[in-house]
Amino acid sequence: MFDLFRSRAKAVRYLLGALLLLVALSLVVTLIPGFGSGGGADDPVIAQIGKETLTVREVQLNLQAALRGQNMPPEMIPHYVPDYVNQMITERALAYQARRMGFEVTDKELADGIRSLIPQLFENGKLVSREAYSNFLAQQNQSIAEFEANVRKQMLLNRLRNLALEGVIVTNEEVETEFRRREEKVAVEYVAYSPDRLKPQITATPDELRTQYQRNLPAYRIPEKRSFQMLVFDQARIAEGINISEQALRRAYSQNLERYRTPERVRVRHILLKTTDKPAGQVAAIRQQAENLVKQIRGGADFAALARKHSEDPGSAAKGGELDWVSRGQTVKNFENTAFSLPPKQISDVITTEYGFHVIEVLEKQEARLQPFEEVKGELAKELKGQQVVEQMQNLADQVRAALVRNPLSAAELAQKHNLPLIKVDNAAAGDPIPEAGVNPDFAEALRSTGRGEVTPVVPVGQDKLLLAVVSEVQPARQAEFAEVEQQLRSEVIEEKARALARQRALEAQQKLGGFNNDLRKLAQATGGEFRVA
């Protein structure tokens, strides 16, 4: 079989590759639909390959690792799972076949493979400790036996792949052919007959226009149109007239002093080594690991780098262990006592909490204080002004609308009185862009439901504007008169005739090509076409 895999014939290589896969898959003794029996009630068996089983737990752990960091929508995962399970079964079947063919992974080869996968657990080529090895794998929800079995399996699969690839011989001719396929471009010459170039030669008779009109009568309708006057209420314009006095600012400050009290707080970072859900026999080794981290940091090691590498706090590890500002009552007791007793820039001893072992560094401290008025004055003024702008704009819009309902002809007078922009819009149809509103469905619906002489509701547009309109005229939808769409009819007729003429010219040119000895350039000159190269 090995010699056959070295055959240069592609068909032979492909056939044997597929045959090997079929042979391997034939070794699957049991494939249990719906995650069936075996493996115990807590861990059902999905498939059995020789004496090896694939369980639900293995699939779950592998899926978690495969999906980690991928932004896959939850609804897509059920579609992904069957293919992933089939892939796992196939890999195990191939590894089983590799062992039957005499392949094996020695203990030394396995150790070399593990060293290349997790070099951080080795110093001078030797494993730091079996406890550290076990702890590292436990973080990945794997035991040593499971991890080493997976490494052996992958190494066996690589052996099989390499065997199949050893027989692939690529000749110089094959390289040249592939290069030409990828890099060489084909130049195509052709003659084009553009309808746009033919339009100046075409006319449309009155009879042709009448025929087009009658043939497509339903298409030529004038939609309902409305004319109106629109008042614009803009936050920026209203804000110009609002001034917050010093007295009002101080009064608001005094009424909200608690908002400006900053409690005693510290900015800290930490490294957490968890002991929750870990066997009691591992706790001593985990504490020893924490002690080693303290020694490294006090010896000058980068705290943030060690936190990113070792910390098991998912909320802070990626940020170098930083928790930002912490006040009393926000953390567990032992952590809080240490954080608030340490001077800035000092490293704690190993601290024990309900979660595990911590190494803490305080970066900054702030005593409890009341922020002075001058410090918050600008922020407070902006806040109060924002509140007043929103209130005044809505109140003004409601007031103006009430006045318009009483007298729809007073729009200009009200606009001048309140310094509001007044925009006149004539004959606007549904879907037309409106000044200050654009194509706004809410404002369009308000207009559609408002009759002549009536006032629309106040309509918000965006985050900072309100619109209000008085409808002065409504033109119902109707059939367009011939004269109103005559120019449109002429364009349509000329477009149709130009396209038909272009097709006719192309067919005639095709018939004449032989008379020009297949010279497309001369053909184009003689028939009014455009010679092009692509």
Side-chain angles (χ1 to χ4, degrees):
M1 179 177 282
F2 291 178
D3 291 335
L4 285 173
F5 265 104
R6 296 190 175 92
S7 169
R8 288 185 60 252
K10 290 182 179 178
V12 173
R13 293 200 303 273
Y14 294 159
L15 175 62
L16 288 173
L19 182 60
L20 176 59
L21 180 58
L22 288 173
V23 168
L25 288 176
S26 70
L27 300 172
V28 179
V29 177
T30 308
L31 182 59
I32 303 170
F35 297 174
S37 62
D42 295 333
D43 194 13
V45 171
I46 297 173
Q48 183 171 324
I49 303 94
K51 295 182 179 180
E52 181 183 355
T53 59
L54 175 63
T55 67
V56 170
R57 178 179 177 275
E58 290 178 86
V59 171
Q60 290 172 335
L61 292 177
N62 279 272
L63 268 174
Q64 289 171 4
L67 295 175
R68 190 176 297 124
Q70 297 188 21
N71 295 321
M72 180 180 291
E75 62 270 15
M76 292 300 297
I77 293 177
H79 302 285
Y80 175 69
V81 169
D83 287 340
Y84 190 80
V85 171
N86 286 335
Q87 177 186 332
M88 293 182 68
I89 293 172
T90 301
E91 288 182 351
R92 280 161 172 71
L94 286 171
Y96 185 78
Q97 177 63 13
R99 288 191 291 269
R100 284 169 54 94
M101 293 169 63
F103 290 104
E104 65 175 347
V105 176
T106 66
D107 291 343
K108 182 179 184 307
E109 290 169 334
L110 176 64
D112 291 340
I114 294 172
R115 188 178 298 109
S116 66
L117 290 172
I118 43 177
Q120 65 269 30
L121 293 182
F122 291 81
E123 291 183 1
N124 300 321
K126 294 183 178 180
L127 187 66
V128 174
S129 71
R130 191 170 180 82
E131 290 76 16
Y133 181 30
S134 176
N135 291 339
F136 176 84
L137 295 178
Q139 295 173 25
Q140 319 299 322
N141 293 317
Q142 291 189 77
S143 67
I144 292 177
E146 289 171 336
F147 174 70
E148 293 184 351
N150 284 332
V151 174
R152 285 184 188 273
K153 179 191 68 183
Q154 290 301 323
M155 295 179 75
L156 286 172
L157 290 176
N158 289 337
R159 297 275 180 85
L160 273 184
R161 293 189 186 105
N162 292 337
L163 174 64
L165 291 174
E166 282 179 3
V168 179
I169 301 173
V170 182
T171 65
N172 291 336
E173 291 77 9
E174 288 173 322
V175 172
E176 183 176 353
T177 300
E178 179 64 15
F179 176 81
R180 291 183 183 279
R181 184 187 71 80
R182 295 190 182 190
E183 302 297 331
E184 289 188 350
K185 308 297 180 184
V186 177
V188 179
E189 296 180 348
Y190 64 100
V191 179
Y193 297 89
S194 169
D196 289 338
R197 293 188 63 186
L198 296 173
K199 285 179 183 179
Q201 309 170 26
I202 298 172
T203 59
T205 67
D207 287 343
E208 288 173 329
L209 298 183
R210 284 285 178 184
T211 300
Q212 178 77 358
Y213 177 69
Q214 293 297 332
R215 187 173 59 194
N216 299 293
L217 199 60
Y220 307 118
R221 288 187 60 80
I222 303 297
E224 181 182 80
K225 294 184 178 181
R226 278 173 161 72
S227 299
F228 54 91
Q229 290 180 303
M230 182 173 69
L231 291 158
V232 182
F233 303 85
D234 184 273
Q235 277 190 16
R237 182 184 290 267
I238 292 174
E240 291 173 359
I242 297 177
N243 291 306
I244 310 296
S245 68
E246 178 89 359
Q247 182 182 2
L249 289 173
R250 289 190 177 276
R251 183 169 56 251
Y253 174 74
S254 299
Q255 292 171 350
N256 296 277
L257 285 178
E258 291 306 314
R259 286 182 54 190
Y260 306 112
R261 293 191 189 280
T262 303
E264 180 188 11
R265 59 182 188 166
V266 291
R267 189 165 69 89
V268 300
R269 58 183 177 182
H270 78 133
I271 298 172
L272 167 63
L273 302 181
K274 288 184 178 180
T275 55
T276 55
D277 301 325
K278 302 285 179 67
Q282 294 183 9
V283 172
I286 297 173
R287 183 180 184 89
Q288 183 59 52
Q289 184 184 0
E291 298 282 2
N292 291 338
L293 291 173
V294 171
K295 291 178 182 177
Q296 291 180 51
I297 296 168
R298 289 174 176 170
D302 187 322
F303 191 109
L306 290 176
R308 282 190 286 269
K309 183 176 181 180
H310 297 286
S311 182
E312 296 177 275
D313 177 9
S316 67
K319 299 184 293 184
E322 287 207 31
L323 294 175
D324 205 2
W325 289 100
V326 175
S327 301
R328 290 189 181 274
Q330 291 184 324
T331 65
V332 293
K333 197 63 178 175
N334 282 1
F335 191 100
E336 177 183 296
N337 291 342
T338 302
F340 281 89
S341 62
L342 274 178
K345 308 303 180 184
Q346 184 170 321
I347 306 300
S348 72
D349 294 326
V350 174
I351 306 302
T352 305
T353 72
E354 297 90 317
Y355 301 103
F357 299 112
H358 304 257
V359 180
I360 302 173
E361 180 183 11
V362 173
L363 301 174
E364 293 182 68
K365 273 192 173 184
Q366 281 187 358
E367 299 299 327
R369 71 187 188 103
L370 174 66
Q371 291 178 275
F373 172 75
E374 294 299 332
E375 188 176 307
V376 300
K377 178 180 177 180
E379 177 188 345
L380 187 56
K382 183 178 179 181
E383 180 182 324
L384 292 180
K385 190 170 187 177
Q387 292 173 359
Q388 290 192 24
V389 165
V390 173
E391 292 173 2
Q392 286 193 24
M393 184 169 70
Q394 187 63 57
N395 291 338
L396 180 60
D398 292 340
Q399 176 186 338
V400 169
R401 185 180 188 281
L404 282 172
V405 170
R406 292 192 296 270
N407 181 10
L409 300 179
S410 63
E413 178 186 343
L414 290 168
Q416 184 176 9
K417 176 181 178 181
H418 297 288
N419 191 29
L420 298 172
L422 178 66
I423 300 172
K424 185 178 180 182
V425 179
D426 292 324
N427 301 324
D432 287 350
I434 305 298
E436 300 290 338
V439 180
N440 185 285
D442 294 335
F443 188 67
E445 176 58 26
L447 282 173
R448 188 195 66 77
S449 58
T450 302
R452 182 176 182 275
E454 295 179 351
V455 184
T456 68
V458 176
V459 179
V461 175
Q463 300 295 320
D464 57 357
K465 289 180 184 176
L466 299 175
L467 301 183
L468 179 64
V470 182
V471 176
S472 56
E473 191 65 46
V474 177
Q475 298 180 13
R478 60 181 176 83
Q479 179 65 51
E481 299 292 335
F482 175 82
E484 292 177 300
V485 292
E486 185 174 359
Q487 188 55 47
Q488 178 185 348
L489 292 167
R490 180 172 285 102
S491 297
E492 290 175 357
V493 170
I494 289 175
E495 178 72 27
E496 288 181 11
K497 293 175 74 172
R499 289 184 178 280
L501 182 58
R503 285 193 294 270
Q504 179 185 340
R505 292 277 179 89
L507 291 172
E508 292 173 353
Q510 186 178 11
Q511 296 170 358
K512 296 176 181 179
L513 182 58
F516 290 89
N517 295 320
N518 295 327
D519 189 327
L520 293 179
R521 195 182 297 273
K522 291 181 180 179
L523 177 68
Q525 292 173 350
T527 59
E530 295 178 80
F531 176 78
R532 296 178 183 176
V533 179

